[in-house]
Amino acid sequence: MSMPSSSFIPDILSRNLSFRGRRSRTSSRQSSYQSYSVYQQAMASLTILRDPDATKALLETILDSPGGKRSLSRLARTCKGICETALNVLWRELDSLVPLIGLFPNHLLRRTRRPGLGLTKPPAEEDWSRVLSYGKRVRRIAYNESANNVSASIFPIIDEYRPQTYILPNLTSLTWRVDTAAGLERCLLFLTPEVKTVVLDINNKVSNLRDILKQLSNRNRLHSLSFTSHVALPEDFTDIFHRQNGLVKLSLNAPGALSSAVGKWVSSQPKLRFLELDLTARSIVAVEGFFEEIMPRSGYSTPSSVGGTDSGVFSADEPDFSDIRKSALRLTGDAPLKGVCPQLQQLQLTGEAANIAAFMKHLNSRLAVLDLIIDDPPETNDWHELATTICEQFGGFLQVLKLSAVNSKFIELVRSTSRDVPIKPLSLEYLTFLPNLHRLDIDLPESVIFSDSDVAHIAKTCPNIEVLRLCPLAKFTTAPPSLTLEGLIPLTTECPRLHTLAVVVDGRSGTRGDAVERAPSSRSLLRLHVGHSWVKDPFRVAITLSHLSPYLDNLKWFQEKNRAVIEEHAKGWQQVSDFLPYLQHIRLSERRKATVATRVEVRVKTVEVEVPVIPPKPKVSEQAIDATPVVIDQGVLARPRLLEASVQSSPETVDEGVEASPAVSSKLIDATPVVQDEEVYASPAVSEIGVEIRPPASSATIDATTAISSKNINTNAVAVESNADTMSDVSTSSSSSSEYHRPHLAIPFISGIFTLVKDVFVSYPVYLSLRLLNASLFTLGARSSKHAETSEAVSEKLSTPAGLILSPSPAVTDHISPVGL
């Protein structure tokens, strides 16, 4: 099934899939039937869209075509079945932040048609719905600060009011071109953990470069890194990116990129496939310094090594077989590797041809793609050395070779102005055999002289070439190009895979018809770009092209719309483009008829040969024939050829150590209890009081002859007894004195003895205990409230009937008051 063209599908879908909505009410039944038939045809032609992979490939083709984004947007709005796939392809890559900012509601934008000017107020949570919905589709995004199409006030709003950490969660590629430190710091808003490709282009010196690079290295595991700067790399650049061991693509265009430390770091990348370096304005010494720390030891210094020159025995006349031994090592494959990055497949170098040649001599990788940006024009000797190095180092593996000029501004200036033929040609004869080269692209405006011999040499050197571009943008004003249409015959003869050719030719000279007719036509050549080629007879040129490329589908040249051209030649190639399809149709018809006639002629000849001829009737005779077979014995010695081959397989081992030490923090806690010393002065109030009791003594004369009544005796006895009970501490001398005056009284004497015994053994211990208790109560301040009453009672008890009155002092009264006598 043939795939429909990219321009056909959007037109069919936009004009026919929505015919019902645009159909007027007065449309006839016939127009409806015709529209429905067109709809069925469109659906029948779009059966390829049932395959998701084919649908994605088709949409990507539409996107790459002129006006592809507009067509893809219309396609997404037209067909619901492929809407999601079309939106994913359309939003997969953004070259600016403006489409993303335009997803905010219109009432938040300062100007609806220019969303990059900023927002009038911070967005609410519901205003982020469209941004987050389409942000999931974005895979690659770019930002250019110098373009000034996005206001700097938007980034603080995104940082403060975003509803989630990253508004582009599936972003994998980030391109950031800035001039200031603030602009460089804004990239952290979009640096998600899924970012694998980072392109940094810094035009000025920024202060936070080292911090941003450090955060980039710590947060992401990069597969591709491109760093371009006009200032030197940080001194610890290799230390910052020492964790990045999975780089596949690396581009360094900054001063300091050729240091030995960077070279050692580059050589340590095991997965590196693409390398881009800038060697402009560098000396050969600086280029050689890149390999100082990464050149492996050859091993030729030991006596036992195969390639060594030292035999271990001192001999001045010993011949040197080092070259022979090295050649043997190369043949057997045991030679030590020299160079850097043997796994490298693509290389892009910028600088002088001599520096590039010196750099590539150190490489031993199997390069498939080589992109060189050299001076225009290069020196002859330097170009010879460079071409020889390319063919010797990578001739058997190289597939794509591109040569362009260093200064792009100079290229544009040369292309837009009229100039004469360049002075120095670029000879392609220095290129030797390149069997696997399928694309050769040379764009050197100052070296555009290519002759027929150069094209013939390319046809022999590169038999599998598919795309050949030899300075198609060159412009000749006074002298015609050196390459002619006849010079293209070797390409159609020896390059069966050539399908794209871009050269500037001289079509004025007449071509020999016999040479063109004998040359085989190319069935693969489909696209031809002649640029500013000269033409004089358009019809004759069209005939020649119909012979060389009868299947040519696309013919391009420079017109007034895209470039300043010579009007005469532009009109001539327009006529060639008009004549060519008809001539191609005639040419193919003639060849088709010639092929059919040849087949018929061969068949007729075969039939004539096969017509049987009736022979005459033979004569019959009998004859005996000995049919004994002859047997011959023959032996064949079959010895197979044996070939011994040994393969040394040594796996590449990598020792990795992981230091897993938990983060330990020590803390000291002061657990000493808070102690507070307080002093309390508690001293009881002690007072010593001495009491001296001296009762007044009186003497009386007693008449012994007087009769003493018993009543008086008893009263006196009671009084004396009461007095003895009350005053237990009275001196015994008083009692003895009283008794001395009354010796004749026996009963009172005995009563006094008993009273004394009672006071000593009963009353006095009780008195002491009560006195101690009284002292304690007095210390605590608990004094009895009835001191006065007790003192009066004691005074009354101490008075005797005989007129003896004991009046104790107040101090004595205080001490004996609680006793309760």
Side-chain angles (χ1 to χ4, degrees):
M1 180 182 296
S2 62
M3 181 179 295
S5 62
S6 60
S7 61
F8 168 76
I9 293 182
D11 296 338
I12 287 293
L13 291 177
S14 61
R15 288 182 297 180
N16 298 322
L17 292 183
S18 59
F19 68 92
R20 294 182 180 179
R22 296 196 307 263
R23 187 178 57 188
S24 62
R25 296 181 180 180
T26 59
S27 61
S28 62
R29 183 179 301 177
Q30 183 178 1
S31 62
S32 300
Y33 177 77
Q34 292 177 355
S35 301
Y36 184 72
S37 62
V38 173
Y39 173 79
Q40 287 182 340
Q41 294 177 3
M43 288 295 100
S45 62
L46 294 180
T47 53
I48 192 175
L49 300 180
R50 296 176 181 177
D51 188 0
D53 296 336
T55 303
K56 184 178 179 181
L58 180 60
L59 296 178
E60 290 177 353
T61 304
I62 297 174
L63 183 65
D64 295 337
S65 63
K69 290 186 177 181
R70 186 181 300 274
S71 300
L72 203 59
S73 177
R74 293 174 178 175
L75 188 61
R77 294 193 300 265
T78 303
C79 184
K80 185 177 180 180
I82 58 176
C83 178
E84 288 295 324
T85 307
L87 288 177
N88 291 336
V89 175
L90 186 62
W91 284 86
R92 181 180 56 187
E93 182 176 358
L94 299 179
D95 55 358
S96 176
L97 295 175
V98 176
L100 200 64
I101 301 172
L103 296 175
F104 284 106
N106 294 336
H107 67 276
L108 296 180
L109 301 176
R110 294 183 183 274
R111 294 184 63 180
T112 306
R113 295 187 177 181
R114 298 185 62 183
L117 294 180
L119 306 177
T120 57
K121 62 179 181 179
E125 185 175 358
E126 59 273 7
D127 297 334
W128 289 88
S129 58
R130 294 183 62 194
V131 177
L132 299 180
S133 176
Y134 285 88
K136 297 178 181 179
R137 309 176 190 270
V138 180
R139 298 295 185 271
R140 295 185 291 271
I141 196 169
Y143 171 71
N144 190 358
E145 187 180 14
S146 60
N148 200 20
N149 57 355
V150 177
S151 177
S153 61
I154 294 178
F155 296 97
I157 294 177
I158 296 177
D159 188 15
E160 184 176 357
Y161 296 97
R162 53 185 172 176
Q164 59 187 26
T165 306
Y166 301 106
I167 60 176
L168 305 177
N170 298 323
L171 191 67
T172 59
S173 178
L174 180 65
T175 302
W176 213 254
R177 295 180 174 89
V178 294
D179 301 330
T180 61
L184 180 60
E185 190 174 1
R186 295 167 191 159
C187 70
L188 299 178
L189 294 176
F190 307 94
L191 196 61
T192 65
E194 300 297 329
V195 172
K196 304 299 181 183
T197 301
V198 176
V199 179
L200 293 179
D201 191 350
I202 304 173
N203 295 327
N204 298 325
K205 185 176 181 180
V206 293
S207 58
N208 58 346
L209 176 60
R210 185 180 179 278
D211 297 336
I212 299 299
L213 293 179
K214 192 172 183 179
Q215 294 188 39
L216 173 63
S217 178
N218 294 335
R219 293 167 59 175
N220 298 85
R221 302 291 292 178
L222 299 178
H223 291 170
S224 176
L225 174 63
S226 177
F227 184 81
T228 304
S229 175
H230 296 288
V231 296
L233 291 175
E235 296 181 357
D236 54 347
F237 179 81
T238 56
D239 297 334
I240 294 175
F241 288 96
H242 74 281
R243 296 176 63 253
Q244 303 294 335
N245 55 0
L247 287 175
V248 178
K249 181 178 180 180
L250 177 63
S251 175
L252 295 177
N253 297 321
L258 296 181
S259 63
S260 58
V262 175
K264 183 178 180 180
W265 175 67
V266 170
S267 65
S268 65
Q269 300 295 325
K271 300 180 181 179
L272 190 63
R273 297 293 182 271
F274 178 87
L275 178 62
E276 179 182 355
L277 293 176
D278 188 4
L279 311 180
T280 306
R282 300 293 189 272
S283 62
I284 299 294
V285 177
V287 175
E288 296 289 343
F290 183 82
F291 303 94
E292 287 183 356
E293 299 184 10
I294 60 177
M295 288 294 293
R297 297 181 180 179
S298 62
Y300 293 159
S301 59
T302 59
S304 60
S305 62
V306 179
T309 58
D310 188 5
S311 62
V313 181
F314 179 76
S315 177
D317 299 332
E318 183 180 1
D320 188 5
F321 297 101
S322 59
D323 295 336
I324 300 176
R325 292 171 182 173
K326 292 178 183 179
S327 300
L329 288 175
R330 294 190 187 98
L331 292 176
T332 58
D334 296 332
L337 294 177
K338 293 183 179 180
V340 57
C341 301
Q343 74 282 359
L344 199 64
Q345 296 181 356
Q346 300 183 26
L347 179 63
Q348 181 176 349
L349 298 177
T350 304
E352 294 79 3
N355 292 344
I356 294 176
F359 186 90
M360 290 193 301
K361 288 180 180 179
H362 294 276
L363 301 178
N364 64 335
S365 55
R366 299 184 176 184
L367 289 181
V369 179
L370 183 59
D371 189 359
L372 304 179
I373 305 175
I374 61 178
D375 289 339
D376 184 23
E379 297 292 338
T380 304
N381 296 333
D382 296 342
W383 166 244
H384 186 191
E385 183 181 2
L386 178 61
T388 304
T389 304
I390 291 174
C391 297
E392 290 180 355
Q393 297 286 115
F394 322 108
F397 317 105
L398 197 61
Q399 298 179 6
V400 178
L401 177 59
K402 296 180 180 180
L403 296 176
S404 56
V406 174
N407 300 322
S408 59
K409 295 182 179 180
F410 178 73
I411 293 176
E412 296 297 331
L413 180 62
V414 170
R415 292 173 182 174
S416 60
T417 57
S418 301
R419 59 186 177 83
D420 205 346
V421 179
I423 300 176
K424 294 183 179 180
L426 183 67
S427 177
L428 300 180
E429 297 180 356
Y430 299 135
L431 296 176
T432 58
F433 189 58
L434 298 172
N436 296 321
L437 189 69
H438 61 78
R439 180 173 182 177
L440 178 60
D441 193 346
I442 300 178
D443 187 10
L444 299 175
E446 289 294 328
S447 307
V448 294
I449 299 179
F450 295 107
S451 60
D452 296 345
S453 60
D454 293 331
V455 175
H457 181 73
I458 290 296
K460 295 180 181 179
T461 305
C462 311
N464 295 321
I465 192 72
E466 297 179 4
V467 179
L468 179 60
R469 300 178 185 273
L470 300 178
C471 300
L473 307 179
K475 184 178 180 182
F476 297 84
T477 56
T478 58
S482 302
L483 183 61
T484 62
L485 284 176
E486 291 181 356
L488 303 180
I489 295 178
L491 295 177
T492 60
T493 304
E494 301 182 11
C495 302
R497 298 183 179 181
L498 181 65
H499 59 78
T500 302
L501 179 62
V503 291
V504 179
V505 297
D506 183 12
R508 299 179 307 154
S509 59
T511 57
R512 294 182 302 171
D514 55 349
V516 175
E517 291 179 358
R518 289 196 306 267
S521 61
S522 176
R523 295 182 60 89
S524 60
L525 185 59
L526 301 177
R527 289 172 288 274
L528 177 62
H529 189 194
V530 294
H532 291 287
S533 298
W534 288 27
V535 61
K536 184 177 182 181
D537 189 353
F539 187 74
R540 192 168 186 175
V541 172
I543 294 175
T544 304
L545 292 179
S546 66
H547 277 289
L548 297 179
S549 56
Y551 296 94
L552 189 65
D553 186 34
N554 190 355
L555 177 62
K556 289 184 178 181
W557 68 96
F558 288 138
Q559 301 177 359
E560 296 84 351
K561 296 180 181 180
N562 51 17
R563 193 171 298 275
V565 297
I566 301 177
E567 186 177 358
E568 179 183 357
H569 300 315
K571 292 181 178 180
W573 284 108
Q574 180 65 46
Q575 296 178 5
V576 172
S577 178
D578 296 336
F579 296 150
L580 186 60
Y582 302 101
L583 295 176
Q584 287 178 337
H585 178 70
I586 296 174
R587 191 70 59 193
L588 294 176
S589 300
E590 292 175 352
R591 294 183 179 183
R592 191 179 301 109
K593 292 179 180 180
T595 304
V596 173
T598 304
R599 292 177 182 177
V600 171
E601 183 179 358
V602 171
R603 290 179 181 178
V604 170
K605 290 181 179 179
T606 304
V607 171
E608 291 177 356
V609 173
E610 291 181 357
V611 173
V613 179
I614 300 175
K617 188 176 181 179
K619 296 180 180 181
V620 181
S621 61
E622 296 180 359
Q623 186 178 359
I625 298 175
D626 186 8
T628 303
V630 179
V631 180
I632 299 175
D633 296 334
Q634 184 177 1
V636 178
L637 179 61
R639 292 181 179 179
R641 295 182 180 180
L642 303 179
L643 179 62
E644 297 181 357
S646 59
V647 179
Q648 181 180 0
S649 176
S650 57
E652 297 181 359
T653 59
V654 179
D655 297 334
E656 294 184 359
V658 179
E659 181 181 356
S661 57
V664 180
S665 61
S666 58
K667 294 183 179 180
L668 300 178
I669 300 175
D670 188 6
T672 304
V674 179
V675 180
Q676 183 177 4
D677 298 335
E678 293 184 1
E679 297 182 358
V680 178
Y681 182 74
S683 59
V686 179
S687 63
E688 298 180 357
I689 300 176
V691 179
E692 181 179 2
I693 302 174
R694 292 181 180 179
S698 61
S699 61
T701 303
I702 301 172
D703 188 6
T705 60
T706 305
I708 302 172
S709 61
S710 59
K711 182 178 180 180
N712 294 331
I713 293 173
N714 294 332
T715 303
N716 294 331
V718 172
V720 172
E721 183 179 359
S722 175
N723 187 23
D725 294 338
T726 305
M727 301 297 295
S728 61
D729 57 348
V730 179
S731 175
T732 56
S733 61
S734 299
S735 301
S736 61
S737 175
S738 177
E739 292 175 358
Y740 175 77
H741 290 286
R742 295 186 294 256
H744 56 277
L745 297 177
I747 296 175
F749 179 75
I750 296 172
S751 176
I753 293 175
F754 281 98
T755 302
L756 180 62
V757 171
K758 184 188 69 172
D759 292 339
V760 172
F761 293 100
V762 177
S763 301
Y764 190 72
V766 174
Y767 172 71
L768 290 178
S769 300
L770 293 176
R771 189 165 185 176
L772 292 176
L773 180 60
N774 183 41
S776 300
L777 294 176
F778 180 78
T779 304
L780 297 177
R783 304 177 62 180
S784 177
S785 62
K786 297 181 180 181
H787 290 175
E789 296 177 2
T790 308
S791 301
E792 294 177 0
V794 173
S795 301
E796 291 178 358
K797 291 182 180 182
L798 292 178
S799 60
T800 57
L804 297 176
I805 300 173
L806 297 177
S807 52
S809 64
V812 175
T813 304
D814 293 337
H815 282 277
I816 63 176
S817 60
V819 176
L821 295 178

